[in-house]
Every structure is written in C-alpha cells, then in structure tokens.
Amino acid sequence: MITVTEPIIWGDEHVPVNTGLLETVVRAFPGEHVRFYGEAGHIGLIRGLIDPADGADVDFRPVELPPRTPDFRGRMRHDLEFAGRLLADAVGSHLILASSCPSLIAALKLRGLRSSVRDVHVVLHGNLALLWSWRSRNPVIRLTDLRTAMSLPSRLPVRYFVMEPAIRGELLATLPGLDPGDVRVLPHPVSSVEAASAAGPAPDGPLRIGFMGAASREKGFAEFLDIAGRAAGPDVEFHAAGRLAADMAGADLRALASRPGEAKLGRRAYVEALARLHFVCMPYRGDHYRYSPSGVLADALALAKPMLAFDLPIFRDLFDRHGDIGYLCRDGEEMAALIRSGLHGTLGEGGRYRAQVEAVRAACAPRLAGRLKDDLRAALTGGPPLSPAS
C-alpha cells in the first residue's frame, strides 16, 4: 500500500496539484492499494476533479487537522500522534506527504526511530522560502524552524521533492548537509481532467492578458497594474481573477477590464476566467519565487496559456527546455513596451501565438500523470534521480 497525506491544507488550496499527485501515484503503482488522508472538504474537491478511473483506486480517509496558524507547540502535539498513525499505516511501504511544516518533519523523524516504513517523501511548496527568511537569534526558537527540522538526523529515510529544477540547486546550496540523492525534482503535477479540457480563447476581440490568484504586492500585482496602465487600449484588455490582498487595498484598478474581488475565487470560476485569456501575466520578483513553485504557472501550463513573465530561474528553465512558450522580460517597462509593439497581431491564423499554445501543451505533458508516473516510480523504488521534465 502507498500512503499519501495532505497534512496542512484545508478546502480548495492545492486541489489541482494534489489531484495530479494522486493520479500519478495510482498510475505509477497499478494494482497497489493507495490511501489518502486529508481534511474532509479538501477530499471532496479532489474527488470532484480526479480522473474517475484513478479516483476509484484511492481509499480516501478524512482526518481532523489543526488550524492553519497554531504555534509550534500546539501543532507538535497533533503531529506526533498523526505521524505515528501514518507510519503505522505505511509499514513496509512508502509514505508521501503532499506538504509539510517544521513540526511535522520533526515528528516524523522522532517517530521514525522505531518505524519500518521504507521511506518518506515530502513535497516542498512555498513554505520552502522560509529557509531563506529571517531567523531568530534565540536558540530555543530556532529549534522550531524549517531549517532545523530539515537538518535533523534521521534513522528513517526522509527524502524531498521540489517542483522546479532551479529550486533544487538553491536548496542544496543552503543545506549542504542534505544528500543530493535525497532531493529530487518532481515537476509540479497538474490535473489530467483540467488539462484535457483546455480550450483556446475566442479568436475575435481584443488581446486578453490576465493576472491570476492572490492580487498581492508580494506576487507582483502592483507591477501588473503599472503594466496595464501603460499598455491597455482598444485592442488589449487586462484582467485580474482572484482576491485583492489587504496590501493592495485602495490601488487604482481603472485600467483593468475585470477586477479582483474581496472573496477568494472558487476553482470553477478561476478556471473559467483563465480559459478566456490569451496570456497569463506573472510579473513575479525573485524574493519569493526564487525558492517557491508557482501554482499559477502550473495552471497556465495545464490550460495551455502562453505566459508573460519576468526572467526568473523557474521561468528561464522552462523557456530553455521548451522554446517559445511566451515572453520573458526584464521588468514592467519592457513588458509594457512588448505588449504595445503589436502583440495583438500575433493572434491571427498562422500567427506566432498558435505555435506558442502548442509549445505550452508540450511543456505541460511531462507534468501529467501519464508521463510523470515513470519518474515517481523510479524515485520510490530506488531508480536513478529524477531529471527535469523534458
């Protein structure tokens, strides 16, 4: 049996990536029993999205999770019990954590002193950026942070999946005590169902460029508004689909044809908004996405949307391997100039845009369960380290 858990997330966060991960596990180990522990609402949304044939092979087990923001001590009490339960369930086989936190990694290593699980694989998401953030000088507080948890020795084999090749290099440089063979690239899984439903936007009308997800300063929304103010016009529309963050309250949104709201957007509405776009705009800066995968990037690939992005390692790597999947720019001024220079004219039949869409589809293929299963099986059965998706 393969045991998988989402030990942190409630509700609709991470639903597409966890759906893709479960599809991949089922296809990597046909005939193997797969059990998934997660919050009940999260499980319900995965059930609604997963490929029915894959979902039929998953034993979903709802569990009570602690609140998202408990202190380390409060979380540790839960995680010690939960880690013991997971390790007992996965005796003789593999345990996969779809996300993590310092207390859970520490609890697994403590409980693992007496475990006969073959190995534990931890998927690292945006919380990996905590490795490079400010650390307290207080040694007691430092015992509770992610760097300490990942550096703890362990009798239990604990290995890590990062979702982009550039992030692996950063992680190994920061924690040189990690065995490079224990840090592997698992390209950000995407939902097979969503990818199969990807359709191009209507060919008529203006060029539609969109910002997806949390409209926060950290994620580049201020840059997006500046670009929209410089480049919006009769043939170019700018859209934002998601929730307006508190740090952008009062921002001038007049250049946008559609605007972020006060509430988080449901997945169906999010996908519908994304489907109407020609380009996804990701004006991200390196202070966060140097170390973190991007769910919006994975969504753009799944829905076959070429991208407009700043030149960060996670994007540069994709462009280097998959060719013309959009445009990389140094800054907002260059991006606005690119859009004004006639980007709308590439949409016509036989234009560059159609070729870019097909290149994005090809870039998405290694992140689908049908291809990703071979890499996952190799990782869990002692095969050679995963290579970047080709």
Side-chain angles (χ1 to χ4, degrees):
M1 180 173 67
I2 311 294
T3 301
V4 186
T5 182
E6 174 45 82
I8 308 295
I9 298 300
W10 296 57
D12 64 353
E13 291 183 73
H14 289 196
V15 168
V17 62
N18 286 344
T19 299
L21 177 62
L22 275 176
E23 290 175 343
T24 301
V25 172
V26 169
R27 299 186 198 189
F29 297 93
E32 189 82 40
H33 188 66
V34 176
R35 183 171 289 168
F36 180 80
Y37 290 95
E39 184 266 334
H42 188 71
I43 284 176
L45 292 168
I46 289 177
R47 282 182 179 274
L49 183 58
I50 196 169
D51 183 291
D54 297 322
D57 290 332
V58 179
D59 176 14
F60 290 98
R61 299 288 183 95
V63 292
E64 293 290 333
L65 298 179
R68 289 295 303 274
T69 56
D71 60 19
F72 182 89
R73 182 180 299 177
R75 176 90 210 190
M76 190 67 177
R77 284 195 294 268
H78 168 273
D79 287 344
L80 280 169
E81 186 278 329
F82 190 41
R85 181 177 171 185
L86 291 170
L87 292 170
D89 196 52
V91 166
S93 188
H94 309 282
L95 172 61
I96 300 174
L97 274 66
S99 61
S100 66
C101 62
S103 59
L104 188 56
I105 294 174
L108 282 166
K109 291 182 175 181
L110 289 171
R111 289 292 193 185
L113 291 171
R114 297 184 178 180
S115 173
S116 56
V117 169
R118 290 178 63 180
D119 47 41
V120 177
H121 293 263
V122 181
V123 180
L124 298 171
H125 286 271
N127 64 328
L128 191 57
L130 295 173
L131 287 180
W132 294 273
S133 63
W134 175 86
R135 299 182 79 202
S136 172
R137 294 183 180 180
N138 186 323
V140 176
I141 296 177
R142 282 199 174 204
L143 288 174
T144 69
D145 69 18
L146 184 61
R147 185 183 292 248
T148 298
M150 292 183 67
S151 300
L152 289 173
S154 176
R155 173 185 170 274
L156 178 71
V158 178
R159 302 187 173 101
Y160 301 98
F161 286 135
V162 296
M163 294 188 175
E164 303 294 345
I167 297 172
R168 180 177 184 271
E170 295 284 354
L171 176 57
L172 290 174
T174 303
L175 295 180
L178 290 178
D179 183 338
D182 290 342
V183 181
R184 300 189 174 198
V185 178
L186 182 73
H188 196 301
V190 300
S191 159
S192 297
V193 172
E194 285 187 344
S197 68
D204 57 337
L207 174 74
R208 291 179 289 281
I209 298 170
F211 185 99
M212 306 299 299
S216 67
R217 192 171 299 276
E218 179 186 52
K219 296 198 172 183
F221 189 61
E223 294 274 11
F224 178 73
L225 290 178
D226 180 68
I227 294 164
R230 293 169 180 262
D235 293 330
V236 181
E237 290 182 355
F238 287 82
H239 298 261
R243 180 169 57 189
L244 185 66
D247 64 1
M248 293 302 298
D252 184 355
L253 307 179
R254 288 177 296 175
L256 303 184
S258 61
R259 302 171 181 178
E262 296 181 359
K264 186 174 181 178
L265 204 60
R267 184 67 188 178
R268 178 174 295 180
Y270 174 95
V271 171
E272 289 174 352
L274 179 55
R276 290 191 290 267
L277 300 176
H278 293 100
F279 287 93
V280 175
C281 184
M282 291 174 280
Y284 304 154
R285 294 294 184 183
D287 52 351
H288 181 79
Y289 286 101
R290 181 178 178 185
Y291 317 113
S292 172
S294 168
V296 174
L297 170 57
D299 292 335
L301 292 171
L303 274 293
K305 301 299 174 182
M307 59 202 70
L308 293 163
F310 287 172
D311 195 353
L312 298 183
I314 61 170
F315 299 120
R316 170 57 60 188
D317 174 73
L318 274 176
F319 276 71
D320 286 346
R321 287 187 285 115
H322 299 290
D324 190 9
I325 56 175
Y327 302 89
L328 289 181
C329 299
R330 290 171 296 181
D331 53 31
E333 184 176 352
E334 182 175 284
M335 190 175 289
L338 168 71
I339 296 167
R340 291 196 309 266
S341 70
L343 200 57
H344 180 269
T346 68
L347 300 183
E349 193 67 33
R352 181 177 177 181
Y353 179 76
R354 299 300 169 187
Q356 288 175 327
V357 169
E358 293 309 311
V360 175
R361 291 188 195 278
C364 177
R367 298 167 184 252
L368 294 169
R371 289 267 298 274
L372 200 54
K373 63 182 176 62
D374 297 329
D375 284 340
L376 183 68
R377 185 170 57 247
L380 268 61
T381 58
L386 288 154
S387 58
S390 58

